[in-house]
Amino acid sequence: MQPNRRRWLLNQLLALGAVVLATGLRLALEGLLGPRQPYATYYVAVLFAALYLGLGPALTTAVLGLTIGHYLFIFPYKMWFIADPADLVVILTYIFVAGASIILGESSRRLLRRLETEADIRRELERAERRQRERLEATLKSLGEGVIVTGSDGRVAMLNPIAEELTGWTSAEAVGRPLAKVFHTRDRRTTQTEELPVAEILGQGLVHRSAGPALLIRRDGTERPIEASSSAIRDGGSGGLVVVVRDVSERLRIEEAENASRKRLRLALEAGRLGAWDWDLRTGRVAWSESSASLFSVPALAGESTFARFLELVHPEDVSVLDTAIAQSIEHGHPFEAEFRLRRPDGSFFWMASRGAILPDEEGRPVRLLGIGADVTERRRAEQTSRFLAEAGAALASLTDEDEALRRVARLAVPFFADWAAVDLIDPSGTIRRVAMAHDDPAKARLALKWHRRHPPCPDSPRGISAVIRTGQPELVAEIDDQMLEQAVGDPVMRRFLRDLNLRSFICVPLRDRAQRVIGALTFVSAESGRRFGPDDLAVAEDLAHRAAVALENSRLYGELREADQRKTEFLAILAHELRNPLAPIRTALELLRPTKVAPPADGQPIDREAIRAMACRQVTHMARLIDDLMDITRISRGTIELRPEPVELVPLIRRVVSAAGPQVAEAGLELRVGLPEQPLWLHADPARIEQILWNLLTNATKYSDPGGRIELVVAPDDLGVALRVRDTGIGIEPAMLPRIFELFEQAENGASRKRGGLGIGLSLVRTLVELHGGSISARSDGPGRGSEFVVTLPVMEAPPHAASRPKAQKPEATISPSTRRRILLVDDNRDAATSLGTLLGKLGGHQVRLAHDGPEAIRIASEFAPEVVLLDIGLPGMDGFEVARRLRAASSAHQATLIALTGWGQEEDRRRSREAGFDYHLVKPVDTELVEELIGSSPPPRRPGPH
Ligand code: ADP
């Protein structure tokens, strides 16, 4: 049932109820009222129905009340006629009153209803407004942003909780305060206070947004980064301002963290010289990190591009490497790794090493490949360089054939290091010889070599190979131009040829030996590769040149060493021969001197013992000289030879040598002519060495001349001092041999064909001794059979002040008294030497001689024998002569004795040591027995160091 209908029915029922109630009440009042007022209660019922139940029920009530009142309460009861006309008035009154009540009720109800509707509306509006306010508040509260609302006067009207938290003001405290008091900001960068233009915003209804984050100064003075926007409230009413404040601390923190991490990444990429890339496999787009283009000098790597365009940059030979690496990554999810060459705009290539990884989507499908790339050209070049240097080193290490090894080195250099490589060496004659010429195409190399031979470089070119060899300075030409070509290559035809080869860059480095002498040059030229050499390449070339030069020199030294070794072997054979030679006559002499064995001479002439002795003595002297020369050579090679210079008058010295050499010259059937200057000539020289020089030259002249020849010795002052010329009419010297005869072991004749003996050391020794004296020596010969001339030039000195009074004797001064008999202790581990000398001294000198063969024995004998003279060999087994001398000096029995050292060592150092050990004299074996006797005769010596 419809609610209205139900209401209607209910009102009708209520009307009925009201009638029933009115009827009941009238019945109840019947006793009191009787027939009067039949409608008394019905008036009330009708009024009630009219007022409260509406028109319909009121009519129902009125009609029912009329009917029932008439029927029940108008006399005659329960009858429908009107007995009394007054009753009709009653009825009409009822009808009138009921009608009036109904009209009144209806109009009042209408009025009431209208009043009720208005109240409802007002209530409703109030409710709506309240709801809206609540919703707004809830909205403001639930907002993630702070909201401050002001009135039109700019004073705070409300703060939401976020604004409260941000500003530090509670809404209650803030309300009524000027906005600037509660919302107070300053610029983040300049730290200047910012004022919100409240009046303007309000006046013009603007919306104001802060330019960027600002710092909100909170109530407690702390600061908070915020962003705010303000706008006027346009509600047609009083208006106001709403400020929306957003806390951006977290956002800024994240932004800063992101910025920092981006910056770190950028720095890391830049520091690692890395470019990062991101390839979207679905779209084919590739994005490179910002700095990639400048880092690799490839503008195409700037920002976004496509993989297809990237592939255009890859060296055609490396595309397959890249493809394989990508396929492996995409198919198997392997990390991506590849090295390939990329082209720069100028056409040159650099090596990129790239690594990356696949980024899959949620379903595991590869969607992106991300990675980094680095320029590894230097590393690759360094690897190649060290491989090249190692291989070149190996080629040089196994160097047996110089030229072949250098050719291999040149071949190794192309095309990795250069397009052309050449090696030039300086030959002993001083000419530059091209040993190797390499190019990837051997035919081209051969052609270039032919051209080079036909048009060799001019030795005085200011640039190029000749200049490098001449100056020893390396040359690097990064970019060959016409001017350079013109300076380096004088020949225009050759220049045209080289121009056609398109030469681009050039390096030439000298090859130097250990003494830093230039022995050749290595040349590298780039052409078709377009390579531009730089300082690093020059360093590689110099390294290679150094290795090559060392290897060359080692190989040459090895060769020389082998040759020297061979010469040494030959020399030992010659030495044995030369030492054996004098032994034969000596042995014969000894046999001849044995009285029992020699039969009386057939011719009746007695054997000339003196002649035999003299011959044996000559042989011994010859042998001693050989050995002396040999020892001097050893000293020269060790650098220990030394002079004992003193003022020496040359002419007497020459006379002495001439008279000593006279017999051997005469014996060789030669004539000796001597031309000496009149005036005295003084040298500051070691007299023994000058004698040695002269003796050697005279001996050679004798040796290399045939009987009947002539030897001339001419001494004359010249510009440089004095010149000593030894000229002979002998076998002469081949021109080729002339420059070499002063070299050690150099002999014109050698091997089995040698007829004239000699060790090949004499002239070498002579030259060293002459040079040690500040002089020079030269040899001249007009050729074989035409004699030779040796000229020694020596510096002279002023005559010393007391030149005339100087003693000339080379032997130690001594007061000779041969008749004096001495107690002599002779110590030598060589028993023969000891016995023979002992016998000589005992027999000839009449001295009392005791022998000892080692140190302890010598000391023992000395203690009982108290020798006046001790002849002591230094090289004794166990305790050496120095030690024995020291002990003898310390012992009472021999401390006054004359101690004479007998030794094979005659250097100044040996003399110093013997002096320090307490020796008085130092004699070198074989000793001159006459000298020994003189020394013995002079004992006891003065207690000062004797001549050493
Ligand atoms: P050697 O012991 O062989 O004589 P030297 O060093 O004295 O050694 O001489 C070297 C070489 O020089 C000799 O072997 C000889 O060939 C040559 N020579 C030296 N002096 C003369 C000379 N007066 N006439 C010809 N040749 C000489």
Side-chain angles (χ1 to χ4, degrees):
M1 200 186 288
Q2 298 287 318
N4 280 352
R5 195 160 169 73
R6 206 188 302 155
R7 190 171 187 83
W8 178 84
L9 197 63
L10 182 67
N11 283 351
Q12 290 296 348
L13 284 175
L14 282 172
L16 208 60
V19 171
V20 172
L21 200 64
T23 304
L25 199 60
R26 185 64 186 83
L27 281 176
L29 292 172
E30 185 58 32
L32 191 62
L33 296 176
R36 287 181 310 236
Q37 300 292 339
Y39 291 111
T41 56
Y42 291 107
Y43 285 125
V44 178
V46 170
L47 192 61
F48 164 76
L51 282 175
Y52 296 107
L53 301 180
L55 185 61
L59 283 173
T60 304
T61 309
V63 171
L64 279 177
L66 179 70
T67 311
I68 295 169
H70 183 236
Y71 186 67
L72 286 180
F73 301 114
I74 293 181
F75 194 78
Y77 302 120
K78 302 181 184 171
M79 293 204 172
W80 295 104
F81 68 92
I82 300 164
D84 188 352
D87 287 339
L88 190 60
V89 173
V90 169
I91 289 168
L92 289 172
T93 305
Y94 172 75
I95 291 170
F96 178 73
V97 171
S101 297
I102 287 169
I103 291 165
L104 183 74
E106 191 56 28
S107 59
S108 72
R109 266 169 39 86
R110 281 219 180 115
L111 180 69
L112 205 67
R113 216 178 295 137
R114 209 175 70 230
L115 286 175
E116 265 179 4
T117 309
E118 281 180 4
D120 277 354
I121 288 170
R122 200 165 43 246
R123 260 199 313 277
E124 198 52 44
L125 280 175
E126 279 171 7
R127 220 178 296 132
E129 194 182 324
R130 198 167 52 245
R131 267 205 307 275
Q132 208 170 351
R133 198 164 42 241
E134 281 168 3
R135 208 175 296 141
L136 181 68
E137 274 176 16
T139 308
L140 290 179
K141 277 183 187 163
S142 66
L143 269 181
E145 292 164 344
V147 178
I148 304 170
V149 182
T150 72
S152 56
D153 55 358
R155 287 179 180 275
V156 174
M158 169 249 159
L159 263 73
N160 77 346
I162 303 268
E164 284 181 330
E165 196 275 323
L166 278 174
T167 58
W169 290 84
T170 63
S171 190
E173 288 165 329
V175 168
R177 294 180 193 269
L179 177 62
K181 182 87 186 146
V182 177
F183 180 71
H184 178 201
T185 65
R186 63 188 181 80
D187 192 283
R188 274 173 82 218
R189 268 169 273 277
T190 63
T191 68
Q192 278 188 354
T193 312
E194 291 173 331
E195 274 288 336
L196 197 63
V198 176
E200 268 177 60
I201 300 170
L202 281 174
Q204 300 172 18
L206 296 175
V207 175
H208 179 270
R209 263 194 194 87
S210 52
L215 287 173
L216 173 70
I217 302 164
R218 303 176 74 231
R219 190 178 184 185
D220 60 6
T222 56
E223 293 174 339
R224 191 67 76 81
I226 54 125
E227 263 178 4
S229 63
S230 321
S231 65
I233 303 170
R234 287 258 159 220
D235 60 355
S238 56
L241 188 75
V242 59
V243 182
V244 179
V245 190
R246 193 175 309 121
D247 184 349
V248 291
S249 323
E250 186 60 12
R251 198 191 81 202
L252 285 183
R253 201 185 57 70
I254 292 169
E255 273 176 14
E256 271 164 24
E258 273 177 3
N259 279 344
S261 102
R262 213 173 294 132
K263 198 168 161 190
R264 268 199 304 275
L265 182 65
R266 203 183 66 237
L267 278 175
L269 287 173
E270 279 173 11
R273 302 190 58 71
L274 298 169
W277 48 263
D278 180 353
W279 175 22
D280 189 328
L281 299 172
R282 290 162 305 185
T283 62
R285 300 204 72 75
V286 179
W288 281 86
S289 56
E290 306 169 45
S291 53
S292 307
S294 58
L295 177 66
F296 301 123
S297 308
V298 180
L301 298 186
E304 279 230 349
S305 178
T306 61
F307 183 68
R309 288 196 56 198
F310 173 72
L311 263 190
E312 287 169 14
L313 301 174
V314 179
H315 194 292
E317 285 174 17
D318 301 339
V319 171
S320 63
V321 175
L322 189 60
D323 279 347
T324 314
I326 292 170
Q328 291 274 330
S329 266
I330 295 177
E331 279 166 32
H332 310 294
H334 290 169
F336 165 76
E337 202 171 339
E339 285 192 11
F340 44 86
R341 279 162 289 178
L342 284 187
R343 198 184 58 246
R344 292 208 164 97
D346 64 0
S348 64
F349 283 91
F350 72 97
W351 278 96
M352 173 174 278
S354 196
R355 284 159 182 259
I358 286 285
L359 190 76
D361 63 7
E362 289 95 58
E363 276 130 56
R365 283 185 307 239
V367 285
R368 276 159 72 189
L369 189 55
L370 300 142
I372 46 137
D375 181 346
V376 292
T377 313
E378 286 305 313
R379 195 204 72 207
R380 300 244 352 170
R381 190 166 288 169
E383 282 170 6
Q384 276 181 319
T385 302
S386 53
R387 202 164 41 240
F388 162 58
L389 289 175
E391 284 175 18
L396 291 165
S398 60
L399 186 146
T400 45
D401 175 347
E402 251 180 34
D403 288 9
E404 181 45 37
L406 291 172
R407 275 195 285 274
R408 264 187 68 195
V409 170
R411 279 199 301 273
L412 282 171
V414 295
F416 140 72
F417 188 64
D419 298 308
W420 293 91
V423 186
D424 293 272
L425 285 186
I426 305 176
D427 278 345
S429 61
T431 50
I432 301 172
R433 180 171 62 92
R434 175 134 304 180
V435 177
M437 175 74 116
H439 186 270
D440 218 14
D441 177 355
K444 265 188 167 183
R446 275 195 301 276
L447 180 72
L449 189 58
K450 208 186 283 173
W451 270 79
H452 176 83
R453 294 212 169 119
R454 206 176 298 157
H455 306 276
C458 165
D460 333 303
S461 314
R463 305 192 64 177
I465 299 164
S466 313
V468 170
I469 288 183
R470 205 176 53 246
T471 62
Q473 291 303 313
E475 190 175 354
L476 162 68
V477 180
E479 204 74 52
I480 296 178
D481 53 21
D482 262 11
Q483 191 200 352
M484 187 265 157
L485 265 186
E486 240 160 72
Q487 287 178 344
V489 187
D491 189 332
V493 185
M494 185 65 178
R495 219 160 40 223
R496 205 165 328 118
F497 173 75
L498 291 177
R499 223 175 264 137
D500 289 346
L501 291 179
N502 250 333
L503 306 182
R504 166 114 196 243
S505 203
F506 167 89
I507 284 179
C508 184
V509 285
L511 290 167
R512 291 170 181 279
D513 64 8
R514 278 190 187 81
Q516 292 305 305
R517 278 187 308 258
V518 178
I519 55 170
L522 295 187
T523 308
F524 301 100
V525 187
S526 80
E528 51 270 28
S529 67
R531 181 168 180 173
R532 205 167 176 280
F533 291 130
D536 289 351
D537 302 309
L538 181 65
V540 172
E542 286 189 309
D543 185 347
L544 185 64
H546 174 68
R547 289 171 194 231
V550 168
L552 275 181
E553 202 183 7
N554 283 348
S555 131
R556 288 176 181 182
L557 286 176
Y558 178 65
E560 281 169 21
L561 218 63
R562 256 199 338 217
E563 206 179 302
D565 188 50
Q566 203 173 330
R567 285 224 301 255
K568 198 171 78 188
T569 312
E570 276 172 24
F571 169 74
L572 287 176
I574 295 171
L575 180 63
H577 177 257
E578 290 299 312
L579 290 177
R580 191 174 285 274
N581 269 352
L583 289 179
I586 293 172
R587 173 172 283 182
T588 316
L590 291 174
E591 290 298 326
L592 281 171
L593 291 174
R594 197 156 74 180
T596 50
K597 211 152 179 214
V598 182
D603 57 3
Q605 290 285 316
I607 291 170
D608 185 350
R609 286 173 173 267
E610 180 47 32
I612 294 171
R613 191 196 65 83
M615 180 270 287
C617 271
R618 264 202 315 280
Q619 293 302 331
V620 170
T621 307
H622 174 64
M623 232 169 122
R625 278 187 189 276
L626 267 183
I627 293 167
D628 279 349
D629 281 359
L630 211 55
M631 297 197 55
D632 281 341
I633 284 295
T634 317
R635 286 179 196 127
I636 288 169
S637 65
R638 285 199 197 143
T640 56
I641 191 150
E642 45 193 49
L643 299 181
R644 285 187 286 162
E646 58 183 74
V648 178
E649 199 184 346
L650 186 60
V651 176
L653 180 147
I654 291 177
R655 286 213 174 91
R656 271 204 307 280
V657 178
V658 167
S659 74
Q664 75 173 36
V665 177
E667 199 178 318
L670 298 166
E671 180 193 349
L672 178 60
R673 288 188 195 167
V674 182
L676 296 174
E678 294 290 310
Q679 77 273 33
L681 282 169
W682 285 87
L683 307 181
H684 184 67
D686 182 335
R689 295 305 189 182
I690 301 294
E691 278 183 26
Q692 199 176 356
I693 292 167
L694 213 54
W695 176 269
N696 265 308
L697 293 178
L698 288 174
T699 308
N700 276 355
T702 313
K703 196 160 64 175
Y704 296 107
S705 297
D706 293 323
R710 190 177 64 245
I711 298 173
E712 282 174 27
L713 167 63
V714 180
V715 179
D718 81 348
D719 299 348
L720 300 168
V722 58
L724 288 77
R725 288 167 199 278
V726 179
R727 206 177 299 142
D728 63 54
T729 53
I731 62 167
I733 303 168
E734 294 258 12
M737 187 65 195
L738 261 180
R740 286 170 31 213
I741 53 170
F742 294 105
E743 300 296 320
L744 195 60
F745 307 134
E746 281 297 344
Q747 294 178 306
E749 292 179 314
N750 45 29
S753 63
R754 295 175 70 252
K755 294 201 295 272
R756 297 170 199 268
L759 292 173
I761 60 178
L763 284 184
S764 164
L765 185 59
V766 164
R767 184 175 63 177
T768 308
L769 293 176
V770 168
E771 285 172 357
L772 282 173
H773 280 91
S776 64
I777 182 166
S778 62
R780 214 176 58 75
S781 169
D782 291 336
R786 308 184 62 178
S788 318
E789 183 184 40
F790 288 83
V791 183
V792 174
T793 309
L794 290 168
V796 292
M797 63 176 277
E798 298 270 308
H802 306 295
S805 64
R806 268 191 73 81
K808 310 253 182 322
Q810 298 295 306
K811 290 174 182 173
E813 288 172 68
T815 345
I816 304 166
S817 53
S819 60
T820 317
R821 293 165 141 244
R822 302 282 183 221
R823 283 191 306 281
I824 299 174
L825 172 58
L826 178 54
V827 191
D828 198 328
D829 60 328
N830 183 330
R831 287 172 188 264
D832 287 347
T835 312
S836 58
L837 186 58
T839 310
L840 192 71
L841 295 174
K843 289 255 157 64
L844 297 182
H847 302 293
Q848 195 182 344
V849 181
R850 293 280 297 273
L851 301 182
H853 304 299
D854 59 30
E857 190 183 4
I859 292 164
R860 188 169 41 73
I861 294 174
S863 67
E864 56 183 59
F865 180 53
E868 291 156 284
V869 177
V870 182
L871 289 162
L872 184 49
D873 179 24
I874 289 191
L876 291 173
M879 188 190 292
D880 67 11
F882 296 127
E883 184 57 31
V884 176
R886 272 192 287 275
R887 295 205 183 183
L888 290 178
R889 279 277 175 250
S892 58
S893 53
H895 75 280
Q896 284 292 334
T898 298
L899 296 192
I900 302 173
L902 301 180
T903 167
W905 306 106
Q907 285 290 89
E908 184 52 40
E909 171 65 11
D910 308 317
R911 290 172 193 276
R912 187 186 57 74
R913 287 186 69 194
S914 68
R915 202 160 45 228
E916 281 171 8
F919 282 102
D920 297 301
Y921 299 107
H922 184 105
L923 302 183
V924 180
K925 291 178 183 177
V927 290
D928 179 343
T929 45
E930 280 180 30
L931 177 60
V932 172
E933 279 187 28
E934 280 176 26
L935 294 180
I936 291 170
S938 72
S939 72
R943 298 308 305 151
R944 59 175 170 76
H948 275 258

